[in-house]
Structure formats: C-alpha cells, structure tokens
Amino acid sequence: MAVDTAHPAGAVASPGSSILPGALKDAFITGLIALGLLGPLVGFETVVIDGALGLAYRPLVVAIMVGIIFAGRLILNLTVWSPNRPPKAQAGPGPVARGMVAISPAFKPALFAFAIGFPFLAAAMTGGLNESRYLIDLGILILTYVMLGWGLNIVVGLAGLLDLGYVAFYAVGAYTYALLATSEPVNAFFASFLGETFWANWAFWFCLPAAGMFAGLWGMILGFPVLRLRGDYLAIVTLAFGEIIRLVLINWVDFTGGGAGIASIPRATFFGIPFTAGEDGFAALFGLEFNPMHRIVFLYFVILALALITAFTTVRLRRLPVGRAWEALREDEIACRSLGLNTTNVKLSAFATGAMFGGFAGCFFAVRAGFVSPESFTFDISAMILAIVVLGGMGSQIGVAVAAAVMMGGMEMLRNLGFLKQVFGEGFDPSLYRMLLFGFAMVAIMIWKPRGLVSSRDPTIYLKEKKAVSGSLVKEGHG
C-alpha cells in the first residue's frame, strides 16, 4: 500500500471534496467575531439630544463592515488559503524583489527629482502658490515621518534593538529648540553683542545641531540601563522611557510650561533673513512679491535636506565598521561577543545616532508649528514611526520612505473621500476610521509581506558584483 508522504494528512483536500462548506463556516465565524468587536466599537455614536449627550446606533455601518469582512474571508479561504492550492517553494528573491533591484538605479533619482519639484508641481496642479498650501503641508508632514522612520531604522532595522520610546528623542529636540529660542537670558546675551534681532533670526540654525547632540546624549543615557536587555524586555523599558519624558514635560511646570506648552517660538529664517514684508525681508531682498508661502516652501526644502542628510549618513555608516557591527549585532549578539566586538559601544552608538536624527526632526517640528506641548509627543507617535519601519521593511531606506508616504499621505487623504457619505450616510466621517484602516493594513502586510514592502537588501560589502540579499536570509531585527 503506497503512502503519500508529500502532503501531511488533512493538508490537501481530495480532488472530489468541496472546500465551500468549510470556507463558509470559517467566514461565518469570522463575521460573528467581527460583529462582536465592531458592534459596540463602531455601532455606537455620541449625539446631542435636546441639549444632552446621548448614544445613537448605526446598524447599517456595522452591517456593511461585517459584510466586507465576511466576503473577504470567504474569498481568501477559496483562493489564497485554499487547501487545494499547491504550496510554492521559493529560494532567494522573488520576481518583485528582483524587479525592484533592477529599477532601483532609475527609481531613486526619479524619486529625488519628484521630491525637489513637488512644491512647483503642487502649485501648477492647484493653480497657484497659495492654493497649494495643503499639498505642501502634507509633503512636509510626510518628509518629517520619513526622517523619523530613517532615524528609527538605525536602531530597529540595522541594530535590531526594539525601541518603543523613540518619540522621547523627538520631544527632546523640540523642547531644546523651544527653550533656547524663547530664553530671555540667551536673547539678552546675544543682543548685547550682535543686536536685538540676531537671536530671533538665527536661533533655529544654532539650535538645530544642539538639539541633535542633546537628543543623542539622551539616547546614550537610555542605552546604559538596557545594555543587558533584549526583545520584549527592551521594548518595555524604552516604552517606559518615552512615558517618563512626557510626564516630566507635563509636571515640570516652571521649566517646560507644563501642559500649557511653550508658545511664540521664533520662526525659521533664510539664514538670518526673515520672511517678512519689510525692506529687510526675503521677498524684498530677492526682488519678489511678498507671499507668506515663501516660508512654507522654504520649510519644505529644509526638512527635505534634513531627510536626505539622514539617508546619506545611514548609507555611509552601513559601509563603515560601525554599520557592519550594527548588522552583526542584529543577527546574533553572542557571535558578536565571540568575535571580540564591544557590544556595549555598538548598542550605545546605535541609540545615540538614531536619537540624534530624532532630535533634528523634533527641532524642525518646533519651528514649523511655533508651539510645543506634551500632547504632541504621545506613544501614538512612537507606534506610528515603528509601524512605518516595519511596514516598509526593516533595514530598507526606500521601503521606509514609501511606507511613510502611503501611511501619512493615505491617512490624510481620507479627509477628501466625501463620496463615501453617499454610501454610509451624511454623518459618516472617513477620517475617524483611519486607525481602523491602519490596523487592517498592518494585518495584511504581516500576512502577505511579513518582512515589509521591500524585503530584499543591498549588500553592505560585495565581491565584484552587487546582488540583492533576500530578506528571508536574515533576521532583520529579531535578534
């Protein structure tokens, strides 16, 4: 009697059996679970009834969402998860990864050119510079998260150190600039030597490197207590560090302003030239008609330059001994120690470098908003940055940039999906469901692309010919 050893018992359905009943049963159970979760979370809505706050229920919205989940689960059971589907054995990079590697030489310059010309393209699409304010602001937001993602990618993607408190360094950079720029003693010191307006015009450019260095110092301070921790324990300690920083900012009222924050932060200037309508302003100096959008466009190019510096520095560091030490630490810490690497210095350098770029981004956030408060630096920001790194592909620069653009841009574009009100009713606000869609995207990526959108990696060093390294061959941060 022959025994089929190619497929385990129950793994593949017999040709004569139907998978439809089992698929329907599984989809029905999934629909019931979705109904139990979405029924109270999505169904109930707070409304004002006769001047009092009350609850209303939206059965149609719940029914549509449960129906979508039921249909999606059924389609997956009949196609991708079907037991009759033959398993695929793949070694090395897949066709998509090979295609990305093939087009990457042209893709990167094209992406860079698009980033440079985006403000002008936005102005041409909307009919003017003033009308393009929304799109340019969106570009600034995306580039800020691209820079934060690249900074965290050093810690998580290259060194394999799971950091859930990255927003702390973002806050340190922002408050460093806010406190120094609004300090009366500092302003008086420079005014006595260089004039009354010197510090207001040059504060950002002096504080930008200071914010990065100070955030890097705090990265090293965080690194010392967690040198012996890995995995979940490291994540919990870094999460606690982020919350400690936020609580300090709230409770140290005399120094940070507490929950009220710090306002009236000086704006960035064009290297000492303010964006004002006066004769000494940017527009008059270059013979242009005054437009407040000049400052916004300048801020866009500032954050673009900071993001490019982050990317360039990361790529260069990967090729240096410290970068290869980060990747070795990510793969196997015990092997690093056996080879004589000082893992203490390697971890501290990763924390400090990633924190430094977070401090730069925080300084830019403060000058862009003109106001900082502890509410701007909650755990949600850390979770969003980490999700961008994971979705894009840990260790991948292009993947992180694409993930930041898709997530931040896509979430913001939900505000413009007014046509959905015709389906779900006039009271439907698509922006309220951005976190729900974000969760669905995370689940989908973890199922189909568990190593991120870009799973292949460029080799740090190579012999004669550069070949893509499959993400399946490395741990990518699980060490």
Side-chain angles (χ1 to χ4, degrees), residues 378-400:
T378 59
F379 171 70
D380 295 346
I381 306 298
S382 288
M384 186 66 70
I385 302 170
L386 181 62
I388 288 173
V389 174
V390 173
L391 291 179
M394 290 187 288
S396 170
Q397 299 287 88
I398 293 295
V400 170

Side-chain angles (χ1 to χ4, degrees), residues 184-209:
E184 288 296 335
V186 175
N187 188 28
F189 172 79
F190 283 102
S192 61
F193 293 100
L194 300 171
E196 293 290 338
T197 61
F198 176 82
W199 184 241
N201 292 337
W202 286 93
F204 173 71
W205 301 107
F206 278 94
C207 293
L208 181 62

Side-chain angles (χ1 to χ4, degrees), residues 51 59 93 122 142 184 211 214 235 318 355 396 401 408 426:
I142 291 174
E184 288 296 335
F214 196 59
R318 281 191 64 189
S396 170
M408 304 311 301
E426 289 297 326

Side-chain angles (χ1 to χ4, degrees), residues 121-266:
L121 181 62
M125 291 173 55
T126 56
L129 197 58
N130 291 324
E131 291 78 7
S132 65
R133 173 68 181 267
Y134 173 76
L135 290 178
I136 296 178
D137 280 338
L138 180 59
I140 292 174
L141 176 67
I142 291 174
L143 285 175
T144 303
Y145 275 88
V146 168
M147 182 178 178
L148 289 169
W150 282 341
L152 184 60
N153 196 30
I154 295 175
V155 183
V156 179
L158 297 184
L161 304 170
L162 185 56
D163 188 354
L164 294 181
Y166 192 70
V167 72
F169 311 121
Y170 190 40
V172 167
Y175 269 86
T176 298
Y177 173 66
L179 291 170
L180 290 177
T182 59
S183 173
E184 288 296 335
V186 175
N187 188 28
F189 172 79
F190 283 102
S192 61
F193 293 100
L194 300 171
E196 293 290 338
T197 61
F198 176 82
W199 184 241
N201 292 337
W202 286 93
F204 173 71
W205 301 107
F206 278 94
C207 293
L208 181 62
M213 290 187 291
F214 196 59
L217 175 63
W218 276 100
M220 294 184 65
I221 293 174
L222 169 63
F224 275 110
V226 301
L227 290 176
R228 295 181 179 274
L229 300 178
R230 286 184 291 176
D232 300 338
Y233 303 100
L234 174 63
I236 292 173
V237 172
T238 55
L239 172 61
F241 179 79
E243 288 301 300
I244 289 171
I245 293 294
R246 187 178 67 85
L247 292 175
V248 168
L249 295 177
I250 292 175
N251 292 291
W252 199 354
V253 179
D254 295 337
F255 184 63
T256 65
I262 302 174
S264 301
I265 300 175

